[in-house]
Structures are given as C-alpha cells and as structure tokens.
Amino acid sequence: MIHDKDYIIRMVKEFSNFLSKLILGKNEGELEDSQMAFETQMRDIFKMSFEELAYKSREEIEEMVSEKDLHHQADYYDLLGNLFYFAFKKETSNQDLALKAKTFYELWLQKSSVFSIPVMGRITELSNALN
C-alpha cells in the first residue's frame, strides 16, 4: 500500500512538471504525443478526463483532494493549479478555469508553505483576468 501511494505521488509530480513545460512552451515533443501523454496521465491520476474534472465544482475537487494523504495534498493542489492554468491559457475567456486555477494555486501555497514567484505571478495574472 505504501508503494502504491509513493507511485501515485511520483506520477502527480511528473505530470505537474510536464504541465509546467507545456505552460512555459518548452515542449520538444510532437503535439499528438503530448496530448496522448496528457490524457493517459489524467486517467491514471484522477480516473477521469480533464473535461470530467473541469465539470466538477471547486468544492467537489477540494473534497477529492482532502481524501488523499495529508502529506500529498500540496502536490495535488500544485498539479490542479497547473492543469487549470494550462487550460485557461488555451481558452482565455473561460472564467471558471481561471478561478479554479487561482484557488488551487492559493491552496498549494497554504499547504506547501513554499513561496514561489512564478506561482505568485500566475495568481496575479489570473486575478487580473477575473476582474
């Protein structure tokens, strides 16, 4: 059971790094390969597609994360922030994606107790988009 949790959290961190590279535009792979990797990792980690996850309310998603191990919750919030930020960058008119990204980044900052200038910049960008 411990090995399963370690494997899942390693997947969460790898997926978050993958999204960070996509956000920064440092993806050297083919678009189709990236899309397939994205969909596979979504299914492996969340057991649903991004569209299904995005349809859920922030409260429902927070409840899903609260059921995870307390030490891993920050990693999930980091991943969720990156997921919704990446989706918002693709669809800049979607206020719900911006609000979810901002919320999950803020929760990541609270849970991790880490100060991150890139995340603070994204929160500011998202806040401006919401106004």
Side-chain angles (χ1 to χ4, degrees):
M1 186 64 155
I2 292 174
H3 296 293
D4 290 342
K5 287 183 181 180
D6 290 343
Y7 175 71
I8 295 292
I9 203 62
R10 194 168 48 248
M11 285 176 33
V12 167
K13 289 178 180 180
E14 287 175 12
F15 193 27
S16 190
N17 288 337
F18 170 75
L19 287 170
S20 293
K21 288 179 183 177
L22 286 176
I23 289 168
L24 296 173
K26 295 182 179 178
N27 183 24
E28 287 92 33
E30 295 292 322
L31 185 58
E32 290 177 11
D33 292 341
S34 297
Q35 185 63 29
M36 192 166 87
F38 180 89
E39 291 171 8
T40 300
Q41 291 200 4
M42 277 298 301
R43 292 263 179 219
D44 288 348
I45 294 169
F46 294 107
K47 312 295 185 236
M48 65 183 78
S49 68
F50 178 74
E51 291 75 21
E52 293 170 299
L53 182 67
Y55 185 73
K56 293 184 177 292
S57 69
R58 287 176 296 152
E59 293 79 15
E60 290 174 307
I61 298 170
E62 284 180 49
E63 189 175 315
M64 284 174 40
V65 174
S66 71
E67 294 170 358
K68 306 293 183 193
D69 188 286
L70 184 62
H71 300 305
H72 298 148
Q73 290 178 7
D75 293 319
Y76 277 94
Y77 285 130
D78 182 35
L79 174 58
L80 288 164
N82 287 336
L83 273 171
F84 284 102
Y85 180 77
F86 178 68
F88 171 72
K89 294 298 279 184
K90 288 174 57 178
E91 297 180 40
T92 55
S93 62
N94 192 327
Q95 298 289 304
D96 185 52
L97 295 174
L99 186 56
K100 285 178 180 172
K102 181 178 180 274
T103 300
F104 296 131
Y105 277 139
E106 289 170 345
L107 287 167
W108 174 75
L109 289 171
Q110 291 171 5
K111 292 278 185 182
S112 69
S113 300
V114 171
F115 179 77
S116 171
I117 292 175
V119 170
M120 295 300 293
R122 290 179 193 156
I123 289 173
T124 301
E125 177 186 346
L126 293 163
S127 295
N128 292 338
L130 290 167
N131 292 330

